[in-house]
Amino acid sequence: MRRILCFGDSNTYGYSPVDGQRYGDDINWPGVLGSLLGDSFEVINEGKNGRTIAFDDPYKDGCNGMNDIETCLEDHEPLDLVIIMLGTNDLKVYFDATPEIVAKNMRELCDRVQAKTDARVILVSPALLGDQIEFSPLHLEFGRTQVDYSFELAPCFEKIAKEIGAEFIDLAMVAMSSDVDCLHLMPEEHAKVAQAMKDKVLWVFREELAREAKEKEEAARRQQEEEEARQRAEEEARLKEEKEREERERAAEARWRAEEEARQRAEEEVRRRAEEEMRQQAETEMLQQNVEEEARLRVQAILKAAEEETVKEKVQETGGLNADFVLGNDLGEAGQEAAGTVETPGTGISSSSSEKEKMLSGKLYICDAALRAEAAEARKITTVYNQTTNAEISKRTELLTRLFKKVGKTPYIEPPFRCDYGSNITVGDEFYANFDCIMLDCANIKIGDHVFFGPKVNIYTACHPIYAPVRNQQLEYAKEVTIGDDVWIGGNVTINPGVHIGNNVVIGSGSVVTSDIPDGVVAAGNPCRILRRISEADKKYWEEQMALI
């Protein structure tokens, strides 16, 4: 924590010109300064009513700042910054001190401060005395000469600040004394002083604060990385445990399946053996029946032959049955082919795409008669568009609707405007392009909502082969360009083929965009590169500026 000592008179103390009471820390400028700076600073109010730089006031004891500055510094050590705001009381009539004398005393006071402490110093010239102070309750202490002298203190104090290497604030440029007594500050003036002091303090410590912010950011990043590493370790442990659990479950299921399959195989083997025994028994019984039937048939044949006495052939002891086999003719593959019944695979010939289809798909193409006719129609529309006036807004919108592939709400393009075809351009709501915009839309150009172009913004999708013999055949190709929502592109920017620009992006003027730009950044240069992120600080600043409108 940095410690700041505010060493001053009644305007540092917080004296109210209305009722003579002391303002609270929510009103006096040292208290408000402490609130503005936050917890990383401690602001110490050492203001005293009637304090001078070097004079002993005959009407107020103990007000000589030269006598108590060193004690004050010792009481509040260690200190990082001392703010000195004195000089008004040194102009009182009965001291008869010129601005040069007051400045000389201030230089001696500053020398004592720098000899006593290594703290930095901000020297503040006091607010001007009110023009009517000779008619105020303080007219016995200050007159017209003192009013004039108050104007001369700032140059003298600024010179001292430069000589001793201190920062300087001219309070007359910040706040005015009240109309009540023409000397002391009203609450709203204390607030202005606190804001000016805050800006100067942050300037004094700008390098240290930037370094600390960077260290804090680095610490936060390390903490985040450690937290992410911890989370990854926990996740890996969880996944490992889950994997082991799944493997145990799979192993248990595999054992159960193996046991179940073994049981089923055993049951199947018992069933198969039983069926085999039954089959063998059935075959044995069938064989026995066949033997018996054959014997019966032989007996019958012998008896019949004996009865007819006409047996010409010896009866066979065993009779057989002849089986006829019907042979079928199988038409082979050759026959089928001859008959025309076999399918033979064909070779398909893909129809070639049109030149426009090639162009929009990024292939090499030639600008044929159809494309030239489409480009000529676009030229007619843009020629009419570029001849319109600001009084013909509806006509311009109608022409853009005819020209473009798709148009959002309230498009506005300042003539002159040029494009190749127009039918490959899509713009979202509230699109605005300033003078001399060119869009070579050989490939699709897609632009989101709330996109603003400065003058002379050029978007190119057309490309030509690097190899000259191919290029000389009038072959070319194109790459699509896309721009997201809420994008501001500065004047004289060139966007090359194939570039994709994200949402909430600012492109600085004169840039040549050769590669993709992500969301939420400010980018500029040739080639265009990312300069910084668009942050919450930007949002806060511009919302504050808008609130002032």
Side-chain angles (χ1 to χ4, degrees), residues 475-492:
L475 288 168
E476 54 186 295
Y477 62 103
K479 293 183 179 180
E480 179 180 277
V481 171
T482 63
I483 300 173
D485 298 334
D486 303 310
V487 175
W488 169 27
I489 296 178
N492 206 28

Side-chain angles (χ1 to χ4, degrees), residues 493-494 499 501 505-534:
V493 169
T494 298
V499 166
I501 298 175
V505 171
V506 176
I507 304 295
S509 61
S511 298
V512 178
V513 187
T514 60
S515 58
D516 292 353
I517 304 296
D519 293 349
V521 299
V522 176
N526 180 7
C528 187
R529 63 186 185 279
I530 296 171
L531 301 182
R532 66 180 181 87
R533 286 281 177 187
I534 296 176

Side-chain angles (χ1 to χ4, degrees), residues 60-232:
K60 294 181 181 179
D61 294 332
C63 291
N64 189 331
M66 200 74 74
N67 294 336
D68 57 11
I69 182 61
E70 294 181 353
T71 302
C72 187
L73 293 172
E74 291 175 355
D75 290 343
H76 297 294
E77 279 290 324
L79 293 170
D80 300 283
L81 177 65
V82 177
I83 300 175
I84 304 173
M85 194 172 85
L86 291 171
T88 300
N89 292 313
D90 296 75
L91 295 177
K92 289 180 179 179
V93 173
Y94 43 81
F95 293 140
D96 194 24
T98 64
E100 291 75 13
I101 294 174
V102 175
K104 179 182 178 182
N105 293 335
M106 176 58 79
R107 174 57 190 266
E108 182 179 352
L109 180 69
C110 291
D111 290 340
R112 292 192 182 189
V113 170
Q114 290 186 327
K116 190 69 176 177
T117 179
D118 293 330
R120 302 178 190 184
V121 175
I122 296 177
L123 183 57
V124 184
S125 64
L128 300 177
L129 296 174
D131 191 56
Q132 301 297 316
I133 196 169
E134 55 193 310
F135 305 107
S136 76
L138 302 174
H139 66 279
L140 296 178
E141 298 178 321
F142 299 92
R144 172 55 47 186
T145 300
Q146 283 66 45
V147 173
D148 295 338
Y149 281 171
S150 68
F151 281 86
E152 299 178 28
L153 287 181
C156 296
F157 282 17
E158 184 176 11
K159 180 181 179 182
I160 295 170
K162 290 180 180 179
E163 291 173 351
I164 66 173
E167 295 292 332
F168 173 74
I169 296 177
D170 183 359
L171 209 64
M173 305 299 293
V174 178
M176 297 176 58
S177 57
S178 70
D179 292 335
V180 178
D181 62 6
C182 298
L183 175 65
H184 295 99
L185 303 177
M186 296 296 284
E188 60 270 23
E189 304 303 310
H190 274 274
K192 295 177 184 178
V193 173
Q195 183 61 48
M197 293 292 185
K198 173 209 168 188
D199 295 341
K200 186 62 70 173
V201 168
L202 294 180
W203 170 257
V204 169
F205 295 106
R206 63 191 181 282
E207 295 179 357
E208 295 93 326
L209 292 174
R211 183 170 59 253
E212 290 173 1
K214 184 176 181 181
E215 292 173 354
K216 185 176 181 181
E217 181 180 352
E218 183 66 19
R221 184 187 62 79
R222 289 196 299 270
Q223 184 177 1
Q224 182 179 0
E225 289 176 351
E226 292 172 357
E227 177 64 18
E228 290 174 351
R230 183 188 63 79
Q231 293 178 355
R232 284 196 300 270

